[in-house]
Amino acid sequence: MSRKTRVSGVGLLVLAALSAPAWAGKRDLGRDVLAPGDGWAAAGPGTTGGAAAGPHQVYVVGNRRELIAALNDGVPSSTSPANPSAAPKIIYVDGIIDANVDDANNPLGCDDYAAGTGYSLAAYLEAYDPETWGREVRPSGPLEDARIVARNRQQARVRIRIGSNTTIVGVGKEATIRGAWFDLRGASTTNRRGNIIIRNLTFEDTFDCFPAWDPLDGAAGNWNAQYDAISLRDVDNVWIDHNRFRNVTTADDLLPTHFGRKYQVHDGQIDITNTSDLVTVSWNRFERHDKLMLIGSSDSAVADRGRLRVTLHHNLFDDIGQRAPRVRFGQVHLYNNYYRIRDPANYSFSWGVGIESQIFAEGNFFFSDHAVTPDRFIAVFRGTALTTVGNLHTGVPARRPVDIVAAYNAVNDPPLGNDAGWTPTLAAGLQPAWVVPQTVLSKAGPMDW
């Protein structure tokens, strides 16, 4: 990259008016806009992100401090401001950005966040052991208060608020966001945000140092973590494309067990809730995660009616335990996704049919062995209908068409209806299911550009 200027005191690179990036002559993903017809995010005004950015709102960032400054007109801040800039901006991520760092980019660990709070995991486990605390009341008292203080310290570092009219794109295939929570959040009536593009990044190891024990969650209790890799609340027109989502140092199979339950430090990878609308999630790789994606967070959130319109297409769901996605209220179009289920012991379901959900699933491809039969692809949570068209399931010996609703109804009562009540029209690039595995495996995830 040549002819670049620095913002004084921040260190991020701002491309001057005549700057020529190192990738000059190649396709510039930062100026891309969502094509017409490419899913729900193409509806309404469409999704252009920061494509209209002037030369002094185009940044190259390589650490947390630079990223926060770029999101706020070049103004540095120790924490991510609650009202990020809405000016059109393009942010190129070059290298690895770790969110669990101090202002000097020195790494911070869980012990650093807990220091001085009075919290330790050992003391927490002793205090709230179900054998002594019981299973009828959630944790409370000084140690639970200390856990919340420590959690909030971590949250102040990992939470990155994204404003409207923003494109964030990784440079090359190795650009990585590690440990961060991208929080896309407006207000439902007064200050909605939107027109945001997030592309070509690897989101890695978004984790909570201080998950909460809830003895009332399920029959045996559960550990519940904060922080999604990306969360959407009260935002419109968002395109999440060609990213990779994975856990490496915090992978589930490396986590310990406490109180007979996995000490879960992950929440979702993408959650779309609180009246968010017009979202396309395309060409991403989701790898080895349990609860992946919520679309709608509560059965009582009736303001979500008529919203939560989301398209998921050409994504790889690789050994995902559940919620790919789990839907409430929204009209959700799932097409040409590849579901690869190679760990039957940790598989629950793929499509969660929640209250008033309207899922239209077509041209998807499921790979599993005989241990996972098509009736298990669906779980029903007060939903009543699901449209499925042209989906395939490969087991042994060969791929075969499958009526997933009929398979579910054959072993469940009451039956699920087979008409979600709408037909999608925004389905650019829709392909027959048989080409999906090769297409998705070769093209999904970050691109080298």
Side-chain angles (χ1 to χ4, degrees):
M1 191 179 302
S2 61
R3 297 195 63 182
K4 52 187 179 273
T5 58
R6 288 189 178 273
V7 174
S8 177
V10 180
L12 72 162
L13 303 179
V14 183
L15 302 187
L18 297 178
S19 293
W23 53 87
K26 299 182 180 180
R27 172 186 177 186
D28 182 358
L29 296 189
R31 294 288 178 181
D32 276 3
V33 301
L34 182 64
D38 194 349
W40 273 118
T47 302
T48 59
H56 295 288
Q57 286 282 8
V58 180
Y59 305 90
V60 181
V61 300
N63 61 47
R64 174 187 178 275
R65 182 172 173 82
E66 294 174 1
L67 174 60
I68 290 174
L71 287 163
N72 294 280
D73 300 324
V75 178
S77 176
S78 180
T79 58
S80 188
N83 292 299
S85 169
K89 67 191 78 66
I90 300 171
I91 302 172
Y92 297 97
V93 175
D94 191 5
I96 298 173
I97 293 179
D98 197 325
N100 286 288
V101 296
D102 64 16
D103 287 346
N105 210 40
N106 298 309
L108 294 172
C110 297
D111 289 344
D112 296 308
Y113 296 124
T117 66
Y119 173 88
S120 74
L121 178 58
Y124 191 88
L125 294 174
E126 181 178 0
Y128 303 117
D129 188 331
E131 295 300 317
T132 54
W133 179 263
R135 294 185 178 273
E136 289 73 40
V137 179
R138 293 185 173 94
S140 62
L143 267 173
E144 172 62 9
D145 294 342
R147 184 195 66 82
I148 292 171
V149 171
R151 179 203 67 192
N152 290 345
R153 287 183 177 179
Q154 185 187 21
Q155 179 173 292
R157 307 310 297 176
V158 304
R159 184 180 194 178
I160 308 295
R161 293 177 171 95
I162 314 295
S164 298
N165 307 311
T166 299
T167 293
I168 304 177
V169 60
V171 177
K173 296 181 70 172
E174 306 304 322
T176 299
I177 303 292
R178 182 177 293 156
W181 164 28
F182 274 19
D183 186 12
L184 286 58
R185 181 185 304 239
S188 58
T189 57
T190 60
N191 187 26
R192 293 184 70 83
R193 293 196 170 95
N195 192 31
I196 298 168
I197 296 173
I198 300 172
R199 302 184 76 197
N200 220 57
L201 293 164
T202 292
F203 288 86
E204 184 175 289
D205 287 316
T206 298
F207 72 99
D208 183 352
C209 283
F210 310 102
W213 171 245
D214 185 352
L216 303 180
D217 184 356
N222 273 304
W223 294 95
N224 292 316
Q226 299 275 338
Y227 320 132
D228 306 309
I230 303 175
S231 65
L232 283 63
R233 295 181 175 219
D234 299 307
V235 294
D236 304 309
N237 292 95
V238 177
W239 182 27
I240 301 171
D241 176 72
H242 277 285
N243 302 291
R244 185 182 188 186
F245 297 80
R246 65 178 181 178
N247 303 308
V248 180
T249 62
T250 64
D252 278 2
D253 56 6
L254 301 177
L255 300 177
T257 297
H258 298 303
F259 305 155
R261 305 295 291 168
K262 185 183 293 294
Y263 187 65
Q264 183 55 262
V265 300
H266 306 124
D267 195 8
Q269 294 287 30
I270 300 176
D271 279 2
I272 303 166
T273 64
N274 294 69
T275 76
S276 293
D277 200 20
L278 305 180
V279 179
T280 296
V281 180
S282 55
W283 298 102
N284 301 285
R285 302 178 76 97
F286 299 98
E287 300 172 6
R288 297 188 64 80
H289 198 89
D290 184 21
K291 298 177 180 179
L292 186 81
M293 185 184 303
L294 281 178
I295 301 176
S297 61
S298 172
D299 287 1
S300 62
V302 294
D304 287 340
R305 288 173 177 152
R307 296 182 180 269
L308 299 180
R309 291 173 291 180
V310 180
T311 300
L312 277 68
H313 75 81
H314 292 96
N315 299 288
L316 171 65
F317 297 100
D318 196 5
D319 279 337
I320 301 303
Q322 56 184 302
R323 302 183 182 178
R326 187 218 194 277
V327 181
R328 297 175 172 93
F329 297 107
Q331 289 185 340
V332 175
H333 189 199
L334 310 175
Y335 73 88
N336 291 162
N337 299 291
Y338 183 26
Y339 294 82
R340 192 159 60 176
I341 305 164
R342 298 176 294 177
D343 186 7
N346 291 310
Y347 178 73
S348 296
F349 66 91
S350 295
W351 302 337
V353 185
I355 187 170
E356 298 183 32
S357 62
Q358 298 174 272
I359 298 172
F360 194 106
E362 62 179 322
N364 300 287
F365 196 109
F366 285 82
F367 173 86
S368 72
D369 64 19
H370 284 311
V372 180
T373 51
D375 57 284
R376 293 182 58 191
F377 300 162
I378 296 172
V380 175
F381 305 93
R382 299 182 65 190
T384 58
L386 164 71
T387 299
T388 61
V389 178
N391 300 288
L392 293 178
H393 176 215
T394 292
V396 178
R399 66 174 179 250
R400 57 189 181 276
V402 59
D403 185 335
I404 299 173
V405 172
Y408 175 86
N409 288 342
V411 295
N412 289 280
D413 189 48
L416 187 65
N418 60 8
D419 183 359
W422 72 294
T423 300
T425 59
L426 301 170
L430 177 64
Q431 300 173 296
W434 66 268
V435 305
V436 166
Q438 180 179 0
T439 301
V440 169
L441 287 175
S442 63
K443 295 182 179 180
M447 299 173 282
D448 193 10
W449 65 285

